[in-house]
Amino acid sequence: MPWLKFMAATRSRSGFNMNEIANYIAVDTIEEAAETLAAGPVTVLAGGTDLMLQTEAGTRSYAATLMNIRRVAELRGVGLEDGSLTIGALTTVSDLLADPIIGAHCPILAETADQFASPQIRNMASIGGNICNASPAGDLLVPLIALGAEVALVSKADGALHSRRMPVEEFVIGPGASKLGDTEILTFVHIPSQDGAAGAFRKFGPRPALEIAIAAVAVTGRIEDGKFAHMRVAFGAVAPTPVRGRAVEAALEDKPATDETINAALAATDADISPIDDVRASAWYRRHLIRTLTQEILADVFRA
Amino acid sequence: MMDQIAEQISLIGQRIPKPDGAAKVLGRTQYINDMVLHRMLIGKILRTDRVHARILRLDISKAAALPGVHAVITGDDTPMIGIGVNKDNPPLKSGTVRCIRDEIAAVAAETEAIADQALALIEVEYEDLPAVFDPAEALEDSAPQLHEDKPGNVGLSYNISYGDIAAGEAESDVVLDETYDLHYVTHCCMGPGCVLAEFDAMGKLTIYSQTQYPYNFKMDLAPTLGIHPGDIRVIQPPVGGAFGSKLDVYPFEPICAFLAQKTRRPVKLVFSREEEFIASPTRQPVRAHIRAGAKKDGTLTFRDVNCLLNNGGYTSWGATVPYVMMRTFSGHFRVPNVEFKSTAVYTNNPFAGSFRGYGNVQATYVTATLMDKMAEAVGMNPIAFRLKNAQEPGEVTPQGSLLKDCALADCITIAAEKTDFLKIYAANAKVETGRYRRGIGIATSLHNAGGAKIHKSDGCGTILTMDDYARVTLITGASEIGQGIDAVITQIVAEELGVPMASITIVNDDSAIGPWDVGVHASRTTFIAGNGARRAAIKAKAQILAAASKEANVPAEEMELRGGHVVQSDNGVSIIRLDRLLRAMHFAGEDAELVMVTDYYEPPSEPEGDNHYGDMSAAYAHAAYVAEVEVDTMTGHVRVEKMTVVQDVGRVVNGLGIEGQIEGGIAMSIGYGLTEDLRIEKGIVKNPSFRDYKVATAPEMPEIAYHFIENDTPEGPFGAKGIAELPAIVPAPAIANAVYNAIGVRFDNPPITPEKVARALHGGQDGGDQ
Ligand SMILES: Cc1cc2nc3c(=O)[nH]c(=O)nc-3n(C[C@H](O)[C@H](O)[C@H](O)COP(=O)(O)OP(=O)(O)OC[C@H]3O[C@@H](n4cnc5c(N)ncnc54)[C@H](O)[C@@H]3O)c2cc1C
């Protein structure tokens, strides 16, 4: 194993947090990663576009070992089997934008990638990092929840690799908090077959690009016999985590695709979300935007 | 010898790339951040985390004991001699802190990490004091008093009175009474604040500084350091943006010098981005109350303006922006009766400095939107109403600005024609449905364009020398802070001396070499330093032609310089190659001479006297900008689609430079009008990062159409006027007027954020800014 020893110092706003990385390791396989995690406090580094900023700002500190997983080749790329997709945790947002399988089978992820950060950040940012960072405003989480995606989490104990799966919706539990165990690595994202369902993602921030969402909406489903069917809805930046829009789904499911249904669905958005006032937007505005973006998707995409 | 030298195409008006551009793009420019000097230490500042408090205990012992720390200083070690406009800001505070950016201790250490660690080891105990954040509240008798010698918290006030407001009001058919709240924004220089200070063994200070006024900087820095201004040498490596933010001495500069003095080693101090947001000056926030009137026929009758300025804890140039504001209120359009009063009031907020546009950003936001409101109130369209009140060439404003070549009416007329303004304006106003609505709006302003005589001199020194190979070294007092003066001066000198631009070297980065200049501000550098460079070149030419005349027996009046030769004016035939002539002049025994000329150009302007009266600039310029916007009535997002620029520039010197200035100004003004908002709540900066402080990015830039009015102002170099501030002044109110045209809502509290627009259109109850 290529162990490199070095010291790094990070600083907080007024320099009060000083913490040191004792070891840096770059692993090549999932197993090595799991072994390193089993051996003790580790900070996982993927693209670093969240991690570096958070440690610089002092809102988070490094564990003694920093483990770079970017050399784990098996963790990057998109696979297709029976209509279900498997996306490696290191797949970048730029990959999602360009990947032909995503384009053909899950265009909502490409649509999301297109509204994500800037090209420079997209080249570094990984899907696994976006999920593990568990930001209430994490863009990819929103369509992943609507798609019913699951994450695979791997650890090593008693000489064997263990893997468990859970829906993204359950995985994120609070701002920056997830069910990722201390010794686990997120390896893959599994997306069930969408069977030709449509989907759309919209986000809004004051600027057209390079913007953190102050509200985001993803909807998947289709119109069958003039009715909304298999509708799944998720909202971002309006609750402690991205959330499922169950009240909206109920208002839509099996109802005729009319203005009336859409209006009922818009009225139901308030029940699904719990936005707050902060420096980026007021709760009122976030609610207003959620209705606006949902209306845009339902009217413009689903009924177009 | 019979070579005929073809007539050269004039360089004036060409598109000349900035000579410093390539190195910057390639990452080769060495900024102060990049500099490393032998034995250099890193300096860091500890800032308070209180907005108003007494320091009860400040214990540096643990920090001082940390290995690798060479000095820890506090206000007890440094003189309580204030810097800034009111000299109220000692570099390190002792006793009381008055705002969140206050410097209370500083360290010099071997590495940045050690310096950070040392700061963390400094222990401070405070007793919080009652604080005040609103300027109106700070004026109340019961308000906490911030500075003992400033009773009532009044920092500075400015007042003018011309004509008779009551009489003006009496003849008005319409009187408007409006209040504007103009917010905090900050410069957002790409290069954060930094300085490197070094004392030599004789106790003389060399300071590598980002300053944009190196000569007076010495004078302002010296007293607090307790050294003679003559013992300070200012070296100016390239800077990553200034925009007015480097027009004063700020605490970090003397602090760095103190650390260098104490450690007897070079010390470098670099701001983090967060520190840059918190601890560099802002644009002056202004609460402006204006009453203004007009007659039914559209004639303006009076303006009565009262401004409250949130001065923050200390006084830098921000508090003086009324000086510029009043010229706009009194002089932009024909206003017979004007009163202007302003008070800068100390509060426990951070403080403002100078910022491109200098008060005119604020004044123009008010006047340009008020002109539209007034036009509507008297039932005229925005163009006709403005033309009715536009001054003619030769008119003098109430404060004594002689508008010799006033192009205001031309600007308005051309802007209206080029954009088909009236037709589009009327059509937009009729649309009342649809999610996306379009609007068009015009704004105009007036700014000094031939320097501004606010100091005893508004001059600039120039030294021009030529070597034996006809290479020119032009030493000017005017700094290059990214604005493009190096290119402009190169063009001007090359034009006069008939030499290639590549043969000219500009030197303007060392106060030990350069002659005095008042500083880069007030859109003055092309005009003042350009005139200086041209006059120096003309003197050099006279010396050269006199020598050529002796050499060749041709009268000097019949010769000129062209393509590196002295040629006969009538047929362009070369008389002698310039480098040969220079060598002949140089190696001429007892008659030897070098071409070495100096010039000090003082523009023909006058300082203000009583009632702020005086023709303080050698030229004035107007501009009319038209914004075309699209408003998303659901999200509230405003997109600027097109900006049509009509500006009186006197004469374009560098086509690329002028467009660069205008583009940059529009980006800044879009930020001011739509997105940028430094949120200061109870004295705390809430969004000190580019994540939450929104500058305009590339996709927000509109299409820009340029129409330059070029009338060759008599005093300007080749007729040029200063142009750099109007582009940062005029767009925001043009956008505000366009938003009104689109959705019928006025925003007197920029920025016009999507949320504000959405609230105005859809009503919003819970929380957030209304
Ligand atoms: C300028 C800028 C703009 C941005 N814009 C957006 C935007 O528009 N939308 C958006 O959603 N985000 C945005 N981000 C945030 C960030 O880019 C994304 O969240 C990105 O997907 C994070 O991925 P990463 O690979 O860089 O993660 P890292 O920073 O490397 O890691 C993030 C966290 O996840 C952990 N981690 C990473 N991978 C794994 C794994 N496989 N297993 C276990 N733990 C893991 C890390 O330990 C860390 O805690 C932006 C960031 C910046 C700097």
Side-chain angles (χ1 to χ4, degrees):
Chain A
M1 273 187 198
W3 288 91
L4 295 172
K5 289 219 168 217
F6 74 104
M7 292 229 320
T10 63
R11 60 169 180 278
S12 70
R13 181 179 154 199
S14 31
F16 291 104
N17 270 354
M18 174 90 177
N19 75 76
E20 289 169 10
I21 300 167
N23 309 302
Y24 168 80
I25 174 171
V27 294
D28 296 309
T29 64
I30 294 174
E31 177 146 18
E32 266 180 81
E35 262 164 29
T36 309
L37 282 162
V42 170
T43 302
V44 175
L45 169 71
T49 60
D50 280 318
L51 184 65
M52 307 260 302
L53 275 71
Q54 291 161 0
T55 49
E56 268 286 305
T59 54
R60 136 162 215 195
S61 48
Y62 286 112
T65 299
L66 179 66
M67 177 173 72
N68 178 1
I69 58 170
R70 275 209 302 278
R71 295 186 191 170
V72 184
E74 57 193 308
L75 285 184
R76 184 161 176 186
V78 180
L80 175 68
E81 214 181 311
D82 296 334
S84 326
L85 295 184
T86 300
I87 305 174
L90 287 177
T91 307
T92 66
V93 177
S94 296
D95 293 343
L96 296 177
L97 193 53
D99 191 277
I101 299 177
I102 297 285
H105 297 272
C106 202
I108 188 175
L109 285 183
E111 190 185 14
T112 308
D114 195 34
Q115 298 174 53
F116 194 108
S118 61
Q120 295 91 331
I121 297 289
R122 285 177 212 158
N123 286 340
M124 295 303 289
S126 67
I127 185 170
N130 198 247
I131 298 171
C132 291
N133 190 55
S135 162
D139 280 339
L140 290 171
L141 291 165
V142 186
L144 288 174
I145 289 172
L147 289 163
E150 292 190 345
V151 289
L153 308 170
V154 169
S155 58
K156 188 165 187 181
D158 309 323
L161 285 181
H162 304 273
S163 182
R164 59 181 184 137
R165 269 169 80 146
M166 89 175 61
V168 171
E169 192 183 338
E170 283 171 29
F171 178 75
V172 289
I173 54 180
S178 73
K179 290 202 177 138
L180 184 76
D182 283 348
T183 60
E184 280 181 321
I185 177 171
L186 190 158
T187 50
F188 295 99
V189 181
H190 298 283
I191 298 173
S193 169
Q194 297 299 303
D195 221 2
F201 172 81
R202 293 282 187 282
K203 90 186 219 197
F204 185 82
R207 285 190 304 219
L210 200 61
E211 194 58 285
I212 298 178
I214 54 177
V217 181
V219 181
T220 64
R222 65 179 132 237
I223 294 182
E224 280 172 2
D225 305 327
K227 291 179 176 171
F228 287 110
H230 309 290
M231 299 302 289
R232 288 180 62 105
V233 178
F235 300 116
V238 285
T241 65
V243 290
R244 255 307 264 292
R246 289 179 195 278
V248 174
E249 289 173 9
L252 292 170
E253 196 63 34
D254 220 20
K255 307 272 165 40
T258 60
D259 279 346
E260 212 184 339
T261 305
I262 292 177
N263 287 338
L266 299 184
T269 53
D270 273 353
D272 285 326
I273 61 180
S274 48
I276 53 163
D277 292 329
D278 69 11
V279 71
R280 293 182 195 141
S282 71
W284 172 83
Y285 188 46
R286 290 178 198 267
R287 287 182 191 282
H288 171 76
L289 285 171
I290 288 289
R291 285 191 295 272
T292 301
L293 301 176
T294 306
Q295 134 84 27
E296 203 176 300
I297 293 179
L298 294 176
D300 299 355
V301 180
F302 280 79
R303 283 203 326 204
Chain B
M1 280 303 266
M2 286 302 288
D3 285 358
Q4 208 169 357
I5 310 299
E7 189 121 22
Q8 312 281 300
I9 300 168
S10 170
L11 289 167
I12 305 306
Q14 300 290 323
R15 302 173 70 80
I16 308 300
K18 283 161 63 65
D20 52 340
K24 283 182 177 159
V25 170
L26 293 168
R28 291 195 196 145
T29 303
Q30 185 177 253
Y31 299 94
I32 299 172
N33 318 29
D34 302 312
M35 288 180 64
V36 178
L37 295 189
H38 184 51
R39 301 176 70 241
M40 185 180 88
L41 298 172
I42 300 297
K44 285 262 166 191
I45 292 172
L46 181 68
R47 298 179 191 281
T48 183
D49 56 2
R50 306 302 165 98
V51 291
H52 196 197
R54 213 183 326 276
I55 302 173
L56 299 179
R57 190 174 71 92
L58 182 57
D59 184 350
I60 59 167
S61 55
K62 286 185 191 142
L66 188 73
V69 171
H70 288 250
V72 185
I73 58 172
T74 70
D76 293 340
D77 309 308
T78 54
M80 285 299 115
I81 298 175
I83 51 175
V85 171
N86 278 356
K87 307 289 175 223
D88 55 11
N89 191 4
L92 284 161
K93 289 20 145 196
S94 95
T96 307
V97 293
R98 298 182 182 82
C99 69
I100 195 68
R101 55 168 291 177
D102 271 10
E103 302 77 4
I104 55 173
V107 302
E110 270 159 33
T111 66
E112 188 179 350
I114 297 172
D116 276 330
Q117 207 179 351
L119 290 187
L121 292 172
I122 297 174
E123 293 169 12
V124 201
E125 270 176 49
Y126 297 99
E127 178 194 337
D128 283 317
L129 298 170
V132 61
F133 309 105
D134 181 277
E137 287 169 22
L139 283 176
E140 288 169 13
D141 290 344
S142 57
Q145 300 294 301
L146 267 73
H147 292 271
E148 265 170 29
D149 58 340
K150 296 286 175 190
N153 289 326
V154 173
L156 273 178
S157 38
Y158 288 86
N159 303 303
I160 56 168
S161 175
Y162 287 95
D164 181 343
I165 294 290
E169 187 159 0
E171 59 177 11
S172 305
D173 295 308
V174 171
V175 173
L176 295 181
D177 184 321
E178 303 280 309
T179 301
Y180 287 80
D181 236 312
L182 302 162
H183 61 307
Y184 282 100
V185 294
T186 187
H187 306 71
C188 298
C189 300
M190 272 206 273
C194 62
V195 59
L196 200 169
E198 178 179 27
F199 280 89
D200 71 10
M202 307 300 288
K204 291 188 180 174
L205 172 65
T206 298
I207 188 158
Y208 297 84
S209 166
Q210 298 169 313
T211 184
Q212 58 191 97
Y213 78 122
Y215 301 94
N216 283 355
F217 180 79
K218 299 200 288 188
M219 182 180 79
D220 289 349
L221 182 62
T224 193
L225 294 180
I227 61 177
H228 191 276
D231 289 339
I232 301 175
R233 178 175 182 182
V234 183
I235 297 183
Q236 300 167 271
V239 300
F243 308 110
S245 65
K246 276 91 181 163
L247 205 61
D248 203 351
V249 172
Y250 291 102
F252 74 100
E253 292 158 323
I255 287 173
C256 189
F258 286 134
L259 290 170
Q261 201 168 32
K262 179 139 190 203
T263 57
R264 297 165 194 248
R265 289 172 69 157
V267 177
K268 181 167 81 171
L269 200 153
V270 182
F271 277 14
S272 69
R273 178 57 63 185
E274 190 177 15
E275 210 171 7
E276 179 78 5
F277 273 108
I278 293 170
S280 52
T282 66
R283 190 182 289 288
Q284 180 63 54
V286 175
R287 189 172 304 151
H289 177 211
I290 180 164
R291 290 170 60 257
K295 295 186 201 167
K296 266 205 285 286
D297 69 354
T299 312
L300 292 175
T301 49
F302 78 100
R303 282 179 184 162
D304 181 7
V305 190
N306 255 291
C307 293
L308 266 190
L309 278 59
N310 195 328
N311 198 55
Y314 306 95
T315 313
S316 179
W317 290 113
T320 71
V321 301
Y323 188 88
V324 176
M325 295 178 74
M326 62 173 75
R327 293 245 160 204
T328 304
F329 284 115
S330 69
H332 189 36
F333 295 104
R334 199 181 294 121
V335 192
N337 308 294
V338 184
E339 246 179 63
F340 174 92
K341 295 197 186 77
S342 79
T343 312
V345 190
Y346 285 109
T347 69
N348 295 109
N349 273 3
F351 56 89
S354 79
F355 194 164
R356 187 179 187 186
Y358 211 96
N360 205 359
V361 167
Q362 297 91 324
T364 296
Y365 194 90
V366 174
T367 51
T369 53
L370 194 78
M371 287 299 279
D372 261 31
K373 294 178 189 178
M374 194 67 92
E376 190 176 334
V378 299
M380 288 173 79
N381 73 57
I383 303 298
F385 180 67
R386 284 182 170 82
L387 286 174
K388 170 94 192 167
N389 293 289
Q391 291 107 323
E392 310 264 326
E395 276 188 58
V396 178
T397 70
Q399 276 186 267
S401 299
L402 167 59
L403 307 177
K404 285 193 268 290
D405 46 9
C406 178
L408 176 55
D410 287 348
C411 287
I412 297 167
T413 308
I414 294 169
E417 276 170 19
K418 295 285 178 192
T419 57
D420 208 359
F421 188 93
L422 288 175
K423 204 174 124 205
I424 296 179
Y425 183 80
N428 288 337
K430 280 203 200 91
V431 179
E432 282 173 6
T433 54
R435 173 164 171 180
Y436 298 94
R437 305 226 192 113
R438 299 179 50 86
I440 189 167
I442 186 168
T444 62
S445 194
L446 155 76
H447 206 73
N448 45 270
K453 196 153 287 173
I454 59 168
H455 296 277
K456 276 178 256 169
S457 165
D458 191 27
C460 175
T462 308
I463 301 168
L464 187 155
T465 67
M466 292 181 82
D467 72 5
D468 294 340
Y469 315 103
R471 303 293 161 109
V472 182
T473 299
L474 191 291
I475 307 170
T476 173
S479 308
E480 172 64 67
I481 56 166
Q483 85 278 34
I485 192 58
D486 288 1
V488 162
I489 282 185
T490 302
Q491 282 175 274
I492 288 174
V493 171
E495 180 81 4
E496 282 299 345
L497 295 180
V499 296
M501 288 196 294
S503 69
I504 298 169
T505 301
I506 307 286
V507 175
N508 54 354
D509 59 357
D510 187 344
S511 72
I513 298 171
W516 193 88
D517 172 76
V518 79
V520 176
H521 77 129
S523 305
R524 70 183 279 283
T525 308
T526 291
F527 191 96
I528 309 283
N531 263 326
R534 186 175 187 202
R535 285 158 40 119
I538 289 170
K539 288 180 191 171
K541 181 157 71 178
Q543 188 185 349
I544 291 164
L545 293 183
S549 173
K550 250 201 287 179
E551 190 84 11
N553 251 326
V554 180
E557 311 79 62
E558 290 173 19
M559 298 184 290
E560 60 185 65
L561 299 179
R562 182 189 288 183
H565 292 252
V566 179
V567 300
Q568 251 169 263
S569 308
D570 54 356
N571 58 13
V573 170
S574 174
I575 294 166
I576 183 169
R577 234 171 61 194
L578 186 55
D579 60 331
R580 290 207 181 120
L581 173 66
L582 288 164
R583 287 195 291 272
M585 291 164 72
H586 183 185
F587 302 108
E590 280 184 4
D591 294 332
E593 55 178 325
L594 284 180
V595 174
M596 279 192 303
V597 301
T598 65
D599 182 73
Y600 185 71
Y601 174 67
E602 181 70 50
S605 49
E606 59 191 39
E608 290 186 345
D610 291 347
N611 211 7
H612 291 279
Y613 187 91
D615 194 12
M616 43 75 83
S617 184
Y620 301 88
H622 289 90
Y625 283 38
V626 173
E628 289 169 74
V629 305
E630 183 189 78
V631 181
D632 179 341
T633 59
M634 290 309 298
T635 63
H637 183 252
V638 176
R639 191 159 73 90
V640 185
E641 297 190 319
K642 186 169 178 186
M643 191 68 72
T644 301
V645 174
V646 184
Q647 189 165 335
D648 171 15
V649 302
R651 169 72 35 192
V652 175
V653 179
N654 182 357
L656 268 183
I658 207 164
E659 287 178 17
Q661 280 288 351
I662 291 171
E663 262 179 40
I666 290 173
M668 264 187 171
S669 197
I670 287 179
Y672 189 76
L674 296 180
T675 59
E676 292 184 40
D677 191 5
L678 194 70
R679 301 277 287 270
I680 297 173
E681 289 170 20
K682 294 200 185 317
I684 309 281
V685 180
K686 292 295 198 186
N687 53 345
S689 74
F690 280 126
R691 185 184 55 203
D692 291 321
Y693 181 95
K694 313 283 185 185
V695 292
T697 59
E700 284 116 293
M701 282 303 284
E703 176 193 343
I704 302 171
Y706 300 96
H707 302 281
F708 297 123
I709 296 180
E710 298 183 82
N711 289 332
D712 290 352
T713 203
E715 184 64 26
F718 293 100
K721 290 183 173 183
I723 65 100
E725 284 170 291
L726 282 168
I729 292 168
V730 195
I735 292 167
N737 285 338
V739 168
Y740 180 77
N741 181 229
I743 59 171
V745 183
R746 289 268 168 215
F747 295 91
D748 297 341
N749 57 342
I752 308 173
T753 60
E755 173 153 2
K756 280 186 197 159
V757 174
R759 270 180 191 280
L761 296 175
H762 301 278
Q765 305 310 316
D766 55 338
D769 53 326
Q770 275 288 359

